[in-house]
Amino acid sequence: MRKMKLCTLCYIERDDKYLMLHRVSKKNDINKDKWIGVGGHFEDLESPDECLIREVREETGYELKDFDFRGIVTFVYGKKNEEFIEYMHLFVGRNVVGEPIECNEGVLRWVDKKEVLNLNLWEGDRIFLRLLEERKDFFSLKLVYGEDESLKEAVLDGKSLDI
């Protein structure tokens, strides 16, 4: 039986940069050495907004004052008999206040948006990062990864993408 997870991910914008997290600190981290936004898994009875605000505060020290819910990303990942599905609620944030803290999951850096796609990212992250820049409407993206961590399938708003 597949495990299902709910999570949030936020790309916080400031001065044409995104706040990126280089995941280098956790052991057994599926995102080890990758660059991602900030976010995490839902706690009991949390809404997506509540999870987002809590995770941004816990990982960065910032209070998130303004954000847009931009999409749902469905990840299918794992080895046979260990697959999981993760429904990621994707946000773009602005207007953070407070002092940054050190993150126990990795290193936080403000990265110029033009440079983000040059980082070590998941292949599917490149798709939704482009969508965040090119579209303003809400989208649904399904990403299916193989055992070798390569992207096998991408479906945007019900239509298969060439990958």
Side-chain angles (χ1 to χ4, degrees):
M1 184 160 164
R2 291 189 175 103
K3 296 176 188 174
M4 184 183 77
K5 299 179 181 183
L6 299 172
C7 70
T8 59
L9 186 67
C10 185
Y11 289 92
I12 300 170
E13 299 176 310
R14 178 190 284 168
D15 300 326
D16 217 28
K17 296 178 180 177
Y18 281 135
L19 183 59
M20 300 294 291
L21 175 58
H22 190 199
R23 297 286 293 251
V24 293
S25 299
K26 287 175 71 173
K27 291 183 179 179
N28 302 318
D29 186 357
I30 192 170
N31 293 304
K32 181 78 172 155
D33 296 322
K34 301 278 193 224
W35 290 82
I36 63 173
V38 295
H41 292 101
F42 284 41
E43 291 185 352
D44 194 35
L45 304 178
E46 276 186 322
S47 71
D49 295 0
E50 291 166 331
C51 177
L52 169 72
I53 291 166
R54 177 186 53 77
E55 285 287 348
V56 167
R57 183 177 51 251
E58 288 176 1
E59 291 184 1
T60 70
Y62 291 126
E63 291 295 325
L64 184 58
K65 298 297 184 183
D66 187 22
F67 55 87
D68 294 320
F69 189 8
R70 296 292 311 280
I72 292 281
V73 181
T74 303
F75 286 100
V76 180
Y77 179 85
K79 298 180 173 148
K80 262 195 175 21
N81 301 321
E82 296 175 25
E83 287 183 325
F84 72 81
I85 295 177
E86 188 167 60
Y87 296 99
M88 184 183 74
H89 300 71
L90 183 63
F91 293 85
V92 172
R94 292 167 300 287
N95 191 17
V96 290
V97 297
E99 292 300 314
I101 60 171
E102 282 193 33
C103 181
N104 65 357
E105 297 182 9
V107 179
L108 292 164
R109 292 279 184 268
W110 290 100
V111 179
D112 191 299
K113 287 182 179 181
K114 292 180 222 133
E115 299 300 318
V116 168
L117 294 180
N118 296 327
L119 299 174
N120 182 22
L121 305 170
W122 287 98
E123 197 174 344
D125 290 19
R126 294 178 192 287
I127 296 170
F128 62 72
L129 281 163
R130 280 192 215 98
L131 291 169
L132 291 177
E133 290 300 309
E134 295 169 4
R135 291 177 52 169
K136 297 300 175 205
D137 60 330
F138 190 88
F139 60 86
S140 174
L141 178 66
K142 180 180 179 183
L143 302 168
V144 180
Y145 285 89
E147 289 186 36
D148 62 354
E149 296 186 357
S150 67
L151 186 62
K152 300 297 184 192
E153 180 183 13
V155 180
L156 176 61
D157 297 328
K159 297 179 181 100
S160 291
L161 297 176
D162 291 330
I163 53 172

